[in-house]
Amino acid sequence: MSLFRTVVACLLALGFARAEAPGRYLFKTYGPEQGFVEPGLTSIAQDSEGFIWIGADSGLVRYDGVAFRKWTAEDGLASTAVNRVLRRRGGGIWVITEGGLMKFHKGVFTPVLHQGRTFRPIRGSAVDLDGDGVLWALGVDGLYRQGGEGMERVAEVPSGQGHALACRTATASIFAVVGGQVWERRKEAPWVRYTTQDGLPVDGIETLAVDGEGRLWVVGRRLLRYQDPGEAAFRDASSWLPAPPFASCIISREPDGTVGIPTNAGLLRLRGDDHEVIDQAAGLPCRWTASSLRDREGNLWVVGPTVYRQLGRGQVRTFTAEDGLPSDLVWQVFRDRSGRLFAGTSEGLALLGERGWSRVPGTDGLNVTSLVQDDSGALLIGSTNAPLRTLEPRGAAATENFHRSLRAGGLAPPQRSQSVACGRDGILWLADPSRGVFRIDSRTRESRLDYGPAQAGIPTFVAWHLVADGEGRIWGATSAGLILHDEGGWHRFGQAQGLKVDPLNGIALAQDGTAWVLYREPRGAARVAYAGGAIQVLESLDAGGRLASNVVYAGGVDARGRLWLGSDRGVEIVSGPSTFLLGRGSGLAGDDCSQNAILVDRNQDVWVGTSTGLSHVLDGRRPRDLPPLVTTITQVTRGRHRADVQGPVSHADATLEFRFASQTYVNEKAVVYQVRLGGLEDDWRSTDVPQARYAALPGGRYTFEVRAAYPGMAFGPAATFAFEVLPPWWRTWWFTTLEVLTALGAVTQVMNWRLRTLARQKERLAGLVDKATGDLLKANHALEKANLALKAQSLSDPLTGLHNRRFLSVVVDDDTAKVQRSYRDWTPGQALPNNDLLFLMVDLDHFKVVNDNFGHHVGDQVLEIVAQVLRKAARETDGVIRWGGEEFLVMARNSTRAEAPFLAERIRSLMAEQSLTLESGEVVRWTCSVGYAAYPFSLRDTTWMGWEKVVEIADACLYLAKRAGRNAWAGAEALEGLDRAAHGPRLPWELSELQREGVVDVVTSLSGALPPRP
């Protein structure tokens, strides 16, 4: 008996003892919203370029990943009704219509002839391709094979009505259904009929197909039998048929050899002894199916009332409340040592069984956020709205018995159990968000608060997530950073130790002993190593690098070392330098992943909890990696006319529009496009729509380029379209020559006439010139005075007489250009004396109080005094500008950046000495705050930022001076290490953080004595 129990326990531990419901696939439906409204669909195929072709009673439809396009008899089809579509060797497709067989290649329909007439197969199922891609078909009078550009008759067929045909490469056989019976013809041998002695019925056979292993499948109304190569007998597999096959169904053969049989209750997929039914229970939106396709990327397409595509390429299955989950919001996924799978939801705990999920009694209403198993095998259930509950190994319901047995020594035990971790020697660690981390001895039932606000030294300390590693250490994600418990006790790490921010969402342990910390703020994730009481940040991931989103909620690491990160855009799978995004469009239950709800299962399957359900990513069905995406230019419009052929474009049609698509269907909406027009643009630019328009192009030669990629992938090769825009007729060489000759003739005539008249006018003009000259001088002088007055008025502030912002926009470009010329040949990283441009932003402190207490007329008097003080503080060559309200800008030319603190202090101190005595005897006093920065800001990268950005930095320094208490100044200077790409987006409003990182120096009047004057 003990041996039996051991064997059972081993089986349970391996996960073989429980049958689990598989979940449902998600499908995308192509209908009116996508521009597809065709009735009577018959078949589907993919050509060598990747386009999807759909046959229908109403015509032939092509899907390019962006849009649908339709062809009918008016476009060259022999008949609008299309019975079947097949891929054609050499490119294009075969189209079987009611009017005969057609070839479609390079945009042209060509009838396939036999003896001068369009060849007509009996029906769509009576056509097949052999292993060499040669087309075979049953005609009304025999068996036909593709020969050259037409069809040639190979042999007669047995008498009777033909229905279907299939090719078997392994035995060089052609199988046909004629008169309801199966016939085989090998090479040049005569036809052989299979009878009841071989295991087939007398009649009732509808169609047949050969899979990739050479197995022949025979399908009837209630019949499914197969024959292996080298055998004559047929074996019965009718129990696999979910329903009778769809009338006139088209059996497909997938790239891996799987055959798909459409039925009245779903799609039956067969390969060897493996079979799968994809029906409504498996997530298919329709009941009956007519055809199917597995495309080159691994996407499964199903044709029924409309067209459907399986999301996730068969790798992802999904569960929701419809499958028994207490709620769609899944917080936690856990598999215990006996192989049972549990899901914690916002409405209780669920257990997965053969028929779906069932709620665990005793967990109604629990917001289950943590699941672990202790040494005794009990399941510990943590939640945000209740004390710890346990489910004993043989218990039928979860209880609070363990919680009630705890002894806290006068301290109340934890009332909430956000996260639970199992340490060594029976020690449990529990995070109560309102109190901290508790240590619980499961043997003695003693509990104590081990790390909380007092230990952290932070009153608002909150612990979110706990996890135990293989060395017995406890890692914790908290509002105050990473906490870790080892033999030396608790340690806490935050920004001071290299983390971007302190608050963390969770921890994901890697197999090499490192851990990924997930930031609670949108800053991505970081991998850290711990040793000797200290951590080292090894790498960081964020949207500036390999991630699609900075918001990271959950993490997990599989045996291959791949990092799975749950975000607000789905699951991001990081493998080496590449990242693949798996979201709703790729089969996931939803894009909004739940916090710490990723489980890497023992077989390396991954379970992902989201706010809209639970997804199961099957490792065994992991599709092959996608190659770089290929893009096709599907339409070119010049002016109002289509122009898909490259060539000259007239000036009148010089507005061109390009439509393009990438023939990828894993997640069409996620594809990123980049375009550029050579001859007009040098850099690639991204576009949100698969089209680009260029209006009124000037004459010249151009090349349009477009490329595509999925987020995290490298861009594929570019599709190109070269063209030339012809100049207008008045800019052609011949018209220019004519213009020159005409002008020369006209000039000659004018000169002769002019010479004759000049002599007559010379004497008269002499007198008029003297008078006009005098009048003109008077008028010019008056006009010059008026212009100077108008210009001064437009560039000045009427209240203070200072320059205004418009003055700065007029003069500053010349000043900055002068600075750039000076630094062009100077040593990088060193300041050039008397060549910097200093910007000082000055703002009066509490000026609103002056206006409120004494009135705006007093405020105006104060502003006039401030203008006088600033003129006094500045040099004559400096510009003093009223920036707006009580804010002023001083632009000091020909300065050295080291002089900035002294000029700022001069302004601050002079302003503090001012006062205004009112008629009432009251005295008004005021102070100011100053922020400054020098142009160029970075001496190692002098062309980095313009003067506007430097003014923003000065304004940010002004804000620092205000925040420090006012009546102060602050300035910023770039240090060695400040990098345009790494730090540019953080300027100007993260000056304090950049100072802590050692790349920016912020100096204030509150930090002590001024530096020595240069």
Side-chain angles (χ1 to χ4, degrees), residues 251-550:
I251 298 179
S252 65
R253 183 166 54 245
E254 300 175 6
D256 65 352
T258 301
V259 296
I261 302 176
T263 77
N264 289 330
L267 178 69
L268 174 63
R269 301 177 65 245
L270 303 165
R271 185 180 184 190
D273 295 329
D274 297 328
H275 73 282
E276 177 187 26
V277 176
I278 298 181
D279 54 11
Q280 288 180 310
L284 187 65
C286 66
R287 179 170 175 79
W288 57 267
T289 59
S291 182
S292 66
L293 165 72
R294 177 74 73 176
D295 68 22
R296 63 187 184 184
E297 293 179 313
N299 298 293
L300 178 65
W301 300 75
V302 179
V303 172
T306 187
V307 176
Y308 311 92
R309 177 173 60 82
Q310 183 188 58
L311 303 182
R313 296 189 283 175
Q315 187 190 14
V316 185
R317 288 177 176 264
T318 296
F319 300 90
T320 65
E322 296 179 9
D323 305 291
L325 284 173
S327 167
D328 286 339
L329 177 54
V330 178
W331 289 113
Q332 185 66 212
V333 193
F334 180 76
R335 190 179 294 280
D336 69 8
R337 291 191 289 272
S338 68
R340 298 181 300 176
L341 185 74
F342 294 90
T345 77
S346 61
E347 295 293 335
L349 180 65
L351 172 65
L352 181 60
E354 184 175 2
R355 296 186 178 181
W357 294 89
S358 59
R359 191 196 305 265
V360 174
T363 64
D364 291 4
L366 286 188
N367 192 44
V368 179
T369 55
S370 179
L371 295 169
V372 293
Q373 194 172 19
D374 67 10
D375 296 339
S376 69
L379 183 68
L380 308 180
I381 306 167
S383 65
T384 61
N385 58 347
L388 181 67
R389 298 192 186 184
T390 56
L391 179 65
E392 298 300 328
R394 298 185 181 181
T399 69
E400 293 185 9
N401 293 340
F402 179 84
H403 169 76
R404 296 191 183 100
S405 67
L406 296 180
R407 300 197 301 271
L411 182 68
Q415 297 303 308
R416 291 194 289 167
S417 47
Q418 169 94 22
S419 182
V420 186
C422 292
R424 292 180 174 176
D425 302 324
I427 302 300
L428 307 179
W429 301 90
L430 184 147
D432 184 330
S434 61
R435 301 173 66 187
V437 179
F438 282 78
R439 179 185 184 277
I440 301 174
D441 190 326
S442 61
R443 297 163 300 183
T444 64
R445 298 295 197 269
E446 293 181 355
S447 71
R448 69 166 186 261
L449 179 62
D450 212 57
Y451 196 90
Q455 292 79 7
I458 301 175
T460 58
F461 173 83
V462 179
W464 301 111
H465 184 224
L466 302 176
V467 62
D469 65 15
E471 300 182 19
R473 299 177 299 199
I474 304 299
W475 300 67
T478 77
S479 61
L482 171 68
I483 60 173
L484 191 144
H485 184 275
D486 60 5
E487 295 86 350
W490 287 101
H491 312 273
R492 183 168 67 87
F493 311 100
Q495 282 186 280
Q497 289 73 38
L499 299 182
K500 291 183 179 179
V501 293
D502 288 341
L504 303 179
N505 259 335
I507 309 291
L509 298 177
Q511 296 185 354
D512 61 358
T514 62
W516 287 91
V517 296
L518 318 178
Y519 292 114
R520 197 168 184 84
E521 295 183 11
R523 303 297 292 271
R527 185 166 69 94
V528 301
Y530 173 79
I535 64 167
Q536 179 184 2
V537 178
L538 304 178
E539 61 177 309
S540 295
L541 295 175
D542 54 33
R546 287 180 282 169
L547 298 186
S549 173
N550 275 327

Side-chain angles (χ1 to χ4, degrees), residues 912-957:
E913 296 171 357
Q914 305 305 312
S915 65
L916 173 65
T917 303
L918 304 181
E919 294 180 0
S920 62
E922 295 180 272
V923 178
V924 181
R925 300 183 185 277
W926 60 89
T927 60
C928 71
S929 298
V930 184
Y932 69 81
Y935 176 89
F937 186 68
S938 173
L939 293 175
R940 292 190 173 274
D941 190 358
T942 58
T943 62
W944 174 358
M945 59 182 71
W947 66 271
E948 300 94 335
K949 191 75 171 182
V950 175
V951 171
E952 290 180 6
I953 295 174
D955 196 35
C957 292

Side-chain angles (χ1 to χ4, degrees), residues 54 213 398 442 465-466 606 641 661 774 897 990:
I54 304 160
E213 297 179 0
S442 61
H465 184 224
L466 302 176
V606 176
H641 313 287
R897 61 190 59 222
E990 293 189 26

Side-chain angles (χ1 to χ4, degrees), residues 695-879:
L697 290 172
R701 297 181 181 273
Y702 301 92
T703 300
F704 175 72
E705 300 175 276
V706 58
R707 62 185 184 180
Y710 281 114
M713 290 178 56
F715 280 91
T720 62
F721 186 93
F723 61 97
E724 179 184 5
V725 175
L726 300 177
W729 62 268
W730 60 86
R731 290 188 179 178
T732 57
W733 68 268
W734 59 266
F735 184 79
T736 302
T737 303
L738 181 60
E739 276 187 312
V740 171
L741 293 176
T742 302
L744 287 175
V747 168
T748 301
Q749 294 294 328
V750 170
M751 289 296 295
N752 290 334
W753 172 82
R754 186 65 175 165
L755 289 174
R756 289 192 302 268
T757 58
L758 280 176
R760 293 193 301 267
Q761 295 178 352
K762 182 177 180 180
E763 185 177 349
R764 183 172 59 87
L765 289 176
L768 294 175
V769 166
D770 291 338
K771 182 178 183 301
T773 301
D775 294 339
L776 182 62
L777 288 174
K778 294 178 181 179
N780 285 341
H781 181 68
L783 181 62
E784 183 178 357
K785 288 179 65 178
N787 285 338
L788 289 174
L790 181 62
K791 183 176 180 180
Q793 183 178 7
S794 67
L795 299 179
S796 300
D797 173 56
L799 174 64
T800 62
L802 298 176
H803 296 304
N804 57 20
R805 280 198 182 194
R806 186 172 181 273
F807 170 81
L808 180 65
S809 65
V810 171
V811 303
V812 72
D813 289 339
D814 292 338
D815 291 322
T816 56
K818 177 183 176 182
V819 173
Q820 287 295 332
R821 287 194 299 271
S822 300
Y823 271 99
R824 187 175 301 155
D825 301 322
W826 188 248
T827 304
Q830 297 184 14
L832 185 58
N834 300 322
N835 275 276
D836 291 329
L837 197 60
L838 304 182
F839 291 97
L840 296 93
M841 190 67 72
V842 181
D843 186 80
L844 299 186
D845 299 328
H846 302 299
F847 183 72
K848 185 177 182 300
V849 176
V850 175
N851 283 331
D852 291 344
N853 292 344
F854 303 104
H856 288 278
H857 66 287
V858 174
D860 291 345
Q861 295 178 50
V862 170
L863 293 176
E864 292 174 358
I865 296 173
V866 169
Q868 296 171 9
V869 172
L870 292 178
R871 288 194 187 97
K872 179 179 178 182
R875 299 168 301 181
E876 291 185 1
T877 58
D878 298 339

